[in-house]
Every structure is written in structure tokens, then in C-alpha cells.
Amino acid sequence: MSENINPFFEPYGTPHDAVPFDRIRLEHFEEAFMEGIRRDNEQIEKTINNPEKPTFENTIINTEEDEGYYDLLSRVSTVFFNLLSAETNDEMDALAQKMQPILTQHSNDIRLNPRLFERIRYVHLHHRKLTAEEKMLLDNCYEGFVRSGALLDEVGKERLRQLTEEASMLSLQFSQNLLKEQKAFTLDITDEAQLDGLPETAREAAALAWKEANSTANSKPGWRFTLDYPSFSPFMTYSTQRELRKQLYMARNTICTHDNAENNLEICKRLINLRREIAQLLGYKTYADYVLKRRMASNTRSVYRLLNDLIDAYKPTAVKERDELKALFKKLEARGEKLENSSSTKKSLTSHPSPLTPKLMPWDSGFYSHKLQMKKYNIDAEMLRPYFELKNVINGVFGLANKLYGITFKENKDIPVYHPDVKAYEVFDKDGSFLAVFYADFHPRKGKQGGAWMTEYQGQYIDRKGENVRPHVSVVMNLTKPTEDKPALLTLGEVETFLHEFGHSLHGMFANTRFESLSGTNVWWDFVELPSQFMENFAIEKDFLRTFAFHYQTGEPLPDELINRIVKSRNFMAATACLRQVSFGLLDMAYYTKKDEFKDDIIPFEKKAWKKAILGEQLPDTCMTVQFSHIMAGGYAAGYYSYKWAEVLDADAFAVFKKHGIFNQEIAQRFRDCILSKGGTEHPMTLYKNFKGSEPTIDALLKRNGIAKGKKVKR
Ligand SMILES: [Zn+2]
């Protein structure tokens, strides 16, 4: 291989044909993108000019994969966009800006190619008997075109284009308004007494924010709090200053409703109507019908059934949780009044005591919840770190995969990596055969996005010669870094994150399907979090913790007493949290199940839409919709229920393991055979029923949360 050849244009020549990160230069990307697009177009021309009758092979498979050589465009896109998240720089960002419109144009050109669609439609109507997997590929292909408007006449296509463009423009404006309003508000404090209750880290961050804003030499010391989560959240949790909590809370919850250019109320209305129109143009009654057709839930009925069942089950417990909170509130408020007389900062609250008993308000919930949690469990994330040294956690997680599935991990330094911190492993199946390449990228650094995710550099598929091309998966996280005198010590939350992403990667590594677009994690939206959330269940299992949770200095195992407290504190305020998620799900569904033009006023509509999942008082001026990015600007419109849906699935599946032993290899094999290896080759409900023998129920989730199965209540 000569140095000046673009590595994307030839076999990589690395172990397992892994991406040769060491040889890829910035200039290789653009050249490969453009050549990839050219080859794609050539392939499509060949397909549509084929004089033979359209068949599954000569049309659908040819659209799925390239003939004779690598699918260059997907090869280069995968590497480029993965690096753009994990290891980027200004040049990469600039290239992304340049390529994005070209790639969008390219994919539109394919989706709106009428001659290509005619062939696909012909196959869809006249195909021979297909396997379930082939049928799924055909349906996906056909539906993909139809949902992009391929069946519409020219007027319809033009209308769809207009609606889609307006919706994407308004989503962008929605987000920009939200960001602007969020940044515009500040709570500035110059009286140190008003910082009462706040931890040192929150004070330091606020002092820094103040300094950045007041850089003149003679400015006095102060503290600035904002609506950004890292500033807002500690203030609401720890500040003893009720009036200030109220101020901050009201600012946060009336955002984008004010009489200014950043008001989102009309934008939301328009977005709801645009999406309804798009769905109706494509032949659906509502936007939810359009979305749910390609979801495990299938229809609005099953989404509402889930949401209503959860309300029935959790509401009684949520009421109890609220009563407990109220009791503590009353007790501490009563005591607080005596204390407050000596504090100058609280005079306004106490010098004219209200004749009414104070009420627990939304700005009190975070503060008193934290107090209650400390009182009941006295547990703190920092206490566990010494038992979760990263090195041990890695052994624990790999060991778990070995116990369940018999697979083994072996680091291979000959596999190129994109940063020296990244580790590359070869993964072997229980019979010793090669299963996958597994990359792990653990710690934050410049050029890497926040959060955690799993991705693939190579998806699994079976090539035309019948060879099973094995996947190259990667987990990218931002876990606590080692310091000069300490190794990387994780919190329990970070251990869960690792297990979560590792669960996604097992879905990728066990993939065993014919087509890459149906392989591994290429499943419907509300099914994709099952393998990941399933793995999180292990985090609080004693038998699992015992395999790796040893004190990094003394080697002592994590004490049982501590584990018990962790387990107990798990369900603290669980019913309240559940109802909150359900209320968002109800709101989302209320907007996107509209059949007619949405003309209501957003604020009163919202209060009514989620009423049955709300326990406290609803304040007349606050509004969630105008800041609900998930369903207005993100991809969760008519999909917010998915969070709860996935939780039901993971609890239900884990209960099967609990029943037969959490390390039971037979059950694990069935989970692998029925779900992890199947990707999106069949309807997720079919896959799930093959594993469990029946449809999932919410019972296991209720049990996990310590909720008694509720009686049917009248709604
Ligand atoms: Zn996930």
C-alpha cells in the first residue's frame, strides 16, 4: 500500500479490516465522500436502466448494498461522523458544514427518484415468496420512499416539501428562542447570607460566572446563578432561601411565554398543525398514527393503555410520597420560622407571618426531597467511588458478558485507534471463533462530545459470497478521569452508564442477520433501549457487585449493608418521577392525536391534557410546551412514551432472569437468539414474544419500584 493512496479506496489491510485511523488524513474524507456519491449514483443508474423486470434481487438488494466493491459512501460516512463526535477539531467541523447539504441533497435525489421508486413499487406488489428478513427489508425500503412522499403527485410532493421545510425552520427557531431566553435570565446575589445551604462547588461556579460578567476593577464581589442545569439544579436542591427559589423556578417555567420576540406559543401551535398536515397528506388521520406505524407500540391505543395503567398503579404511592414530603415541609417550616427570626435575610418571610399554613409549592419539592432522602437513607454518590475503580469495573462488565454468554475480550494493540486513550479488543465467542472488534473510549477530552453513546465502525452482514462480516462496535463515554494520585474512581451512576452502553454494544456484537440495515441496533425507536437498559439492572445485584467491587486501596469488598441502602434508596420518590414522565407522555399524545386544526391556547390546553398525572397545584402562568424540545424540536414527537415503554420491557425481561438466576446461561442464550442477534429483521413484538413466550406487562416494573399492583380505578 503506497502512502499517497486514499485508504478508503482499498482494503484496509489491518487486523479484521479495522479502520486504519493511523493512515487517514483530513483530505481523504472529502475525496472519498465525492467518489462514494458518484459510485452510488452509478449503481442507481444501473438499477433503473436494467432491462429485466424488477425483482427483489436486482432492485431491493441493489439499493441496499453495492455490487463488487465496498459501499464506499457508508464506509467513509461512518468513520467521519463517528470521529466528529468522539475526536473532532475545527477542520473536521468545517468539513461537516460543507458536506451536510451535499449529503442531504444526495439522499433526497435517491428518495425522490421516480424511476427507482417505480421499480421498488413493482417489487412490493409482485414479489416472490420472501423470508421474514427479506420481507422486512422490502417493507423498510418501500415505506422509506412512501414516507418521503414518493406516492404523491407533483402538487402533493411540492406541498410536502413546503411543510417539511417550514417545520424544520420553525423547530430551529423554537430551539434558538429557548436558548436565548435561557441565557437572558440571571439571578445575581451580592449578599453572601443569601447563599445559605449551597455547597461549595455551586458557590464557586456562581462566583466565577459573576466575575466573568463583572470584570471591571471596582466591582464588588457577587454570585451569578442561571437557568442552565448545573447552576439551576443545585440552587433548587440546596438553597434555604425560599423566595429566591421561587424567583428562579418561575423564571425557568415561564420561559418563552413573555411578550417578546422569543415567545414560542404560536410556534408550537404552528408546529403541531404542520405535523398533522404532513401526516394527513401522507394518508394518516393524525401525526401519532403516522409515527406509531413504525414503532413497537403500533398504535395510539397501546400508548394510552400504558400511560393510563401507570397512572392507576403509581398514583396512590405518589400521593403517599407527597404527603410524606408535606409532613417534612410543615415540620421544618415551623422550626425554620423560629430560626429565621435571627437571620436578617429572611425578614420578609417571617416578620409578617401569614395566617395560613404555608403550602408546599413546586419550588419547594427539590429542596425537601433532598432533605427527606438524606434523612431516610443517608446515601451519597461519593461514598461508593472507592469501590468502583475503572480497571475493576471493566473486569466486572467483561466478566458478566462471559458468565452470561461465554464470550471473552482480548486487547489487541495492533488494531489502530483514533486516540491513545482508546482501547481496542478482539471479542471471541464461546466456541473460540472471532465475534467482533470492540473499542472503548472512557474519558472526556477536548474535541469529544459530552454524554455517552455506542456506535459502529462496521455493521454485521452476510456478503454475497456468504461470508459473515463481523461488526466493529465502539462505546464512547465521559467517565471520571484518573488524577495524579488516584486511579479513575467511578460513581454508581457511571457504572450504570457503562453497563447501558455495553448492552447496546452486545446488541451490535451478537448481530447475525443478512442485511446490514436490519442488523444489530437497527431496530424501531421504542425497542432500541431494551438491550441497554436491561444491562443496567445488574448494577445493584449483589452477586454481580461481589465479582468486582473491591476498595481500590484495601481490596475490601463493598459492604452488604451499603448495598442494601443503595437498593432501598433506589425507589425514593419513584412514583412521583413516574407520574412526571407520564404527564409529559400525555401532553405529547394530546397534541399529536389531533385530527383537526389545533386552535386552542397552549397554556390552558396543557393544564387540561396532563391533569390526571399531576398531583400538586398547577400554576396559571407556567408552561412546559414552549420549552419541550423533545416533542417540538427533537425527534420525540408522538414518541415521548418510549422512555416508559423501554422501562417496562427491560424490567419484564430482567424478571425472567431473576426467576431463573441472573447468570442463567440458558436464559441468556435465549435472549441472545431471540433478541440480540435478530436486529430489526422482524416486528419487535414478535421477537420479544419469542423470548418471553408472551407480551410484556407492567408488573415487573411495578415490583421493581415497590408498587403494589393497583386496582382498576375509574377514570
Ligand atoms: Zn441507550
Side-chain angles (χ1 to χ4, degrees), residues 616-635:
E617 183 176 352
Q618 299 211 54
L619 304 174
D621 297 332
T622 58
C623 185
M624 173 65 192
T625 306
V626 285
Q627 53 177 304
F628 201 175
S629 303
H630 278 85
I631 68 159
M632 287 297 153

Side-chain angles (χ1 to χ4, degrees), residues 500-501 504 528-529 532-533:
H500 180 105
E501 301 311 332
H504 281 310
V528 75
E529 296 299 335
S532 52
Q533 292 183 185

